[in-house]
């Protein structure tokens, strides 16, 4: 298979590395970037003429019939990323995507009940079942095109938690936080940030309580957790802006809020890169 190495990252892309690019520009004659956030937790949405598929860090994705694609970078992604695109004629192209470094916030919380720090043995099987359902929902690779929309905020309220931060409960470091938290009273509505199909609707998971996973297409999903009420069912088609749930304090939380997460398959992305800053304000 012919393999061409292309390093067409222009100075413009470096200048906006810490931002989401909203205007299209061209890396090369074949590759057009529609939106991107070139940081860990970020993403690239673009189009490559005659693209069939691509590989990033051993993860493979598909291009749609117009050559459009979406992929993302995890919290601890290396700053030099290379993507191999496979074209319909069998040719392969390599593109480099340099990421700007970022730092993450640490939150130290004391006096937390032990059940929030380490689950009892009696619920281990329940947690495993929850994780299996979540994993299956995030593996779906559909032909939906909701990922192409400009996302809107799923709820209004104060930002109480950010992506990538590490919480330390009673001096015990926990896993990094992979969501964007919007604090608001129980019953505050949650809407679909982009169109898609509900792949998971569960009223009571151990950690996340009321949980919804919305498939936007081509491996991109939104997850909404700690919900007090679910207004949708699995398999239901929703449009951008449709009410899907209400904020709550279910699962293992200390107060009412929405924890919104975005995944590209198993890769956890930063929701803040997908929406307009300040759009959470009432």
């Amino acid at each position: 298979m012919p393999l061409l190495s292309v390093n067409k990252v222009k100075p413009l892309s470096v200048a906006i590395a810490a931002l989401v690019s909203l205007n299209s520009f061209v890396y090369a004659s074949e590759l057009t970037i529609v939106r991107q956030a070139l940081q860990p937790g970020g993403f690239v949405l673009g189009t490559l003429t005659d693209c069939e598929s691509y590989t990033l860090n051993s993860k493979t994705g598909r291009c749609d019939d117009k050559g459009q694609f979406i992929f993302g970078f995890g919290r601890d992604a290396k700053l030099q990323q290379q993507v191999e695109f496979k074209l319909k004629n069998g040719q392969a192209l390599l593109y480099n995507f340099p990421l700007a470094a970022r730092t993450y916030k640490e939150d130290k919380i004391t006096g937390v009940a032990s059940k929030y720090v380490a689950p009892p043995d009696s619920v281990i099987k329940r947690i495993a079942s929850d994780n299996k359902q979540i994993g299956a929902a995030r593996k779906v690779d559909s032909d939906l095109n909701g990922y192409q929309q400009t996302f809107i905020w799923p709820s209004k309220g104060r930002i109480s938690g950010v992506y990538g931060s590490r919480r330390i409960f009673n001096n015990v470091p926990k896993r990094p936080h992979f969501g964007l938290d919007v604090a608001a009273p129980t019953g505050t509505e949650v809407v679909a940030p982009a169109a898609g199909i509900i792949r998971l609707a569960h009223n009571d998971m151990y950690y996340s309580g009321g949980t919804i996973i919305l498939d936007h297409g081509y491996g991109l999903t939104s997850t909404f957790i700690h919900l007090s009420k679910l207004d949708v069912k699995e398999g239901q088609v929703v449009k951008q802006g449709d009410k899907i749930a209400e904020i709550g304090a279910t699962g293992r939380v200390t107060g009412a809020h929405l924890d919104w997460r975005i995944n590209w398959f198993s890769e956890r992305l930063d929701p803040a890169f997908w929406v307009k800053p300040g759009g959470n304000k009432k």
Side-chain angles (χ1 to χ4, degrees):
M1 175 186 300
L3 185 64
L4 300 180
S5 181
V6 183
N7 189 0
K8 296 290 185 178
V9 180
K10 296 183 177 181
L12 174 60
S13 67
V14 176
I16 63 171
L19 303 173
V20 178
S21 173
L22 297 180
N23 297 320
S24 299
F25 63 97
V26 178
Y27 274 77
S29 59
E30 304 92 350
L31 179 62
T32 301
I33 301 301
V34 179
R35 292 195 300 275
Q36 67 178 2
L38 292 182
Q39 284 190 7
F43 70 96
V44 176
L45 171 64
T47 302
L48 177 63
T49 305
D50 295 326
C51 177
E52 182 176 77
S53 64
Y54 57 89
T55 301
L56 169 65
N57 297 324
S58 300
K59 294 182 174 66
T60 300
R62 299 180 298 124
C63 299
D64 70 10
D65 57 1
K66 296 180 180 179
Q68 185 144 296
F69 60 85
I70 179 72
F71 57 76
F73 315 103
R75 176 189 186 272
D76 301 313
K78 295 179 180 180
L79 299 185
Q80 294 299 321
Q81 295 287 317
Q82 189 173 75
V83 181
E84 180 179 334
F85 291 94
K86 179 181 178 182
L87 304 186
K88 294 177 181 178
N89 63 6
Q91 186 180 52
L93 299 176
L94 292 178
Y95 282 87
N96 297 308
F97 294 88
L99 307 185
R102 64 185 299 189
T103 57
Y104 300 104
K105 179 182 177 183
E106 277 196 353
D107 292 320
K108 296 183 178 181
I109 305 173
T110 59
V112 181
S114 60
K115 67 179 181 178
Y116 298 115
V117 180
D121 293 340
S122 60
V123 300
I124 296 301
K125 288 185 178 180
R126 178 183 172 190
I127 293 172
S129 175
D130 291 348
N131 289 339
K132 184 177 181 180
Q133 294 176 68
I134 291 171
R138 288 175 174 165
K139 285 181 180 178
V140 175
D141 186 6
S142 73
D143 292 332
L144 301 173
N145 60 8
Y147 73 94
Q148 299 176 12
Q149 294 180 307
T150 299
F151 280 39
I152 62 174
W153 283 81
S155 199
K156 304 288 186 179
R158 175 179 60 87
I159 301 302
S160 58
V162 295
Y163 172 92
S165 61
R166 185 180 296 276
R167 293 172 176 174
I168 302 175
F169 289 158
N170 302 339
N171 297 317
V172 178
K174 306 302 292 181
R175 293 183 66 195
H177 183 51
F178 293 109
L180 180 63
D181 293 344
V182 180
T186 294
T188 301
E189 76 170 11
V190 178
V191 303
I197 294 178
I198 305 297
R199 300 299 183 188
L200 177 69
H202 196 296
N203 284 302
D204 186 24
M205 290 190 157
Y206 180 77
Y207 280 117
S208 55
T211 304
I212 289 174
I213 295 182
L214 175 58
D215 172 19
H216 301 298
Y218 289 83
L220 196 79
T221 59
S222 281
T223 302
F224 313 89
I225 65 180
H226 307 310
L227 306 170
S228 61
K229 179 185 176 185
L230 279 59
D231 292 299
V232 291
K233 298 179 180 180
E234 291 179 12
Q236 183 173 333
V237 176
V238 298
K239 301 187 300 295
Q240 184 179 61
D242 283 352
K243 182 186 176 188
I244 59 173
E246 295 179 3
I247 284 179
T250 58
R252 295 301 177 262
V253 294
T254 56
H257 71 280
L258 170 67
D259 184 342
W260 174 34
R261 306 186 176 200
I262 291 182
N263 275 59
W264 173 60
F265 295 112
S266 62
E267 209 69 74
R268 300 171 185 270
L269 312 184
D270 187 347
F273 286 137
W274 289 82
V275 288
K276 182 180 179 180
N280 60 296
K281 297 180 180 179
K282 297 180 179 180

